[in-house]
């Protein structure tokens, strides 16, 4: 479903380049649960920005369902992302002036759902992540892990084809983290959602079908989890 | 050194109160390494805001070194905090327009160090957290875990009496997380720094002298770690 070929990303200037991704080639299959793991600064979020079309490669191609993302203009990319991808950002990126409900309902509204239905779906998924008692709180009235769960709920509300989760359990305690991993696994099994997470959380290991280990911007190795 | 007596914090409105902290009484001794653990939303960050004087209790008192924080006005509190406390925020709170060096040097400049010395000390501690190769990057040019480490370095640069770390390893891989925990433990042993961390990271358990477990805004139990 997702195909990266020779993907490279260079930041910085001519005189001081940062090779964030170096010639990454990897294929992610429809319906699989794949985890990206590796040291801080190794390129996981950068790779996510390429897959989610939030940034463009310096070289190489990213294809999703046969569509070459590099061929889409910004408007087409935004539309494509809205229709197919649920993105959980490492820094959550919630709208500060919106309540939890409004933040989560937004993607549903963008996808064309009428306001009442969008809100009902937002409530349902917020309850699934344990925030049924915080629906009307704004981000600054929520704990770190609660903000993270609002970001997770927002990514799930449209039941998208692909969920990209950048460190989705980073600020969650053991029990809540396991509940979220369990929830993602259920989306994968029941709806055939393709789940890609960048994570430092080793609890993610037994739920993943495969693990791609990243080091210094390059793929270090790929593990099938039944061999672990 | 730090004494909380009957600390309570209520958010929200009269009609819809949120009891974030309920009658918390706990003492933290000079030079100890204490970890605060508990579910997402249980009150850890709120408790930190009370200890660090970033917010005021609804009831109860917070004393540091015999000083009742509630008696200080905002200016006195800011001065007190700048002199004695290094604070690692759950959301980092870095200055976006400043480089890593400038972000970390800021507390040193506020404490009266001349610019050259402040910069030299900032570089030294940034190298200690593994960011010697990212000194001139601004926050948006850094990975999540790198931003977290800049926040950590900034809390350490003045070698303060107390370090308050709110989820200091939340976005770090296993190895980097262990290095940071090791670094904090060294500050504790070598300089007698009092370290208080709010954390979900069970790697923190063996380094801590005591663990305070929080649940629904109240102290659930206190554990001495050699009994674990
Ligand atoms: N400004 C506010 N208004 C209303 N409720 C608030 C406000 N700030 C925090 N809360 C609530 O207070 C409770 C405690 O929040 P706190 O941030 O201390 O939790 P925490 O233990 O740090 O959680 P986490 O592990 O997720 O970071 C949460 O349930 C949160 O929703
Ligand atoms: N805009 C930028 N300019 C320069 N360098 C950058 C920029 N953005 C990221 N980098 C660098 O690219 C590298 C990869 O960053 P990335 O955010 O992908 O890491 P990561 O694997 O997600 O790390 P973490 O686990 O800490 O979140 C890092 O070393 C970072 O410093
Ligand atoms: Mg990242
Ligand atoms: Mg918190």
């Amino acid at each position: 479903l997702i195909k990266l070929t020779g993907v490279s990303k260079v930041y910085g200037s001519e005189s001081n380049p940062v090779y964030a991704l170096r010639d990454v080639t990897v294929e992610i299959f429809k319906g699989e649960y794949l985890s990206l793991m590796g040291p801080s600064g190794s390129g996981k979020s950068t790779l996510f920005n390429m897959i989610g079309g939030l940034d463009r490669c310096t070289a190489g191609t990213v294809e999703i369902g046969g569509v070459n993302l590099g061929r889409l203009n910004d408007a087409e990319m935004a539309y494509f992302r809205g229709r197919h991808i649920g993105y959980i950002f490492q820094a959550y990126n919630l709208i500060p002036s919106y309540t939890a409900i409004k933040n989560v309902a937004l993607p549903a509204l963008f996808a064309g759902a009428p306001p009442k239905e969008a809100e009902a779906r937002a409530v349902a998924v917020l309850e699934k992540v344990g925030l049924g008692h915080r629906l009307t709180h704004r981000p600054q009235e929520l704990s770190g892990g609660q903000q993270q769960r609002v970001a997770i709920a927002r990514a799930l509300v449209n039941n998208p084809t692909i969920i990209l989760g950048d460190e989705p359990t980073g600020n969650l305690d053991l029990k809540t983290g396991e509940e979220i991993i369990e929830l993602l696994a259920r989306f994968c099994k029941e709806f055939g959602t393709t789940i890609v997470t960048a994570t430092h959380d080793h609890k993610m290991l037994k739920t993943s079908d495969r693990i791609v280990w990243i080091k210094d911007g390059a793929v270090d190795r790929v593990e099938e989890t039944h061999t672990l």
Side-chain angles (χ1 to χ4, degrees), chain A residues 25-201:
Chain A
T25 295
V26 74
E27 230 173 304
I28 300 170
F29 306 110
K30 187 154 176 28
E32 87 167 309
Y33 191 134
L34 184 135
S35 281
L36 217 62
M37 292 186 126
S40 172
S42 55
K44 304 178 293 300
S45 297
T46 305
L47 195 59
F48 262 43
N49 290 343
M50 302 299 125
I51 297 173
L54 290 166
D55 197 359
R56 298 182 183 275
C57 320
T58 311
T61 51
V62 180
E63 291 170 273
I64 296 185
V67 177
N68 181 341
L69 298 192
R71 294 267 163 76
L72 306 178
N73 64 37
D74 288 355
E76 291 168 328
M77 187 62 234
Y79 179 77
F80 183 91
R81 187 170 49 247
R83 286 214 60 194
H84 300 288
I85 299 173
Y87 207 125
I88 306 164
F89 294 90
Q90 189 164 7
Y92 322 148
N93 296 7
L94 300 177
I95 298 175
S97 49
Y98 281 15
T99 59
I101 284 187
K102 285 196 80 176
N103 262 290
V104 176
L106 214 56
L109 289 169
F110 282 161
K116 274 213 170 354
E117 181 195 325
E119 272 212 12
R121 278 164 43 191
V123 172
V125 67
L126 278 165
E127 286 174 342
K128 281 217 188 87
V129 297
L131 292 179
H133 63 318
R134 288 286 182 270
L135 302 173
T136 55
H137 284 234
R138 289 180 177 74
Q140 69 270 17
E141 298 165 333
L142 293 171
S143 78
Q146 290 169 340
Q147 291 175 32
Q148 183 154 43
R149 283 181 276 161
V150 174
I152 292 164
R154 183 178 61 179
L156 301 179
V157 73
N158 275 340
N159 202 347
T161 320
I162 297 165
I163 292 170
L164 298 180
D166 199 349
E167 311 284 0
T169 57
N171 272 287
L172 302 175
D173 55 282
L174 212 73
K175 177 162 176 291
T176 312
E178 284 173 343
E179 288 167 11
I180 292 300
I181 292 169
E182 175 57 30
L183 179 64
L184 292 173
R186 234 182 305 145
F187 263 75
C188 192
K189 285 208 205 72
E190 290 178 26
F191 307 123
T193 316
T194 305
I195 311 228
V196 189
T197 58
T199 184
H200 296 301
D201 194 345

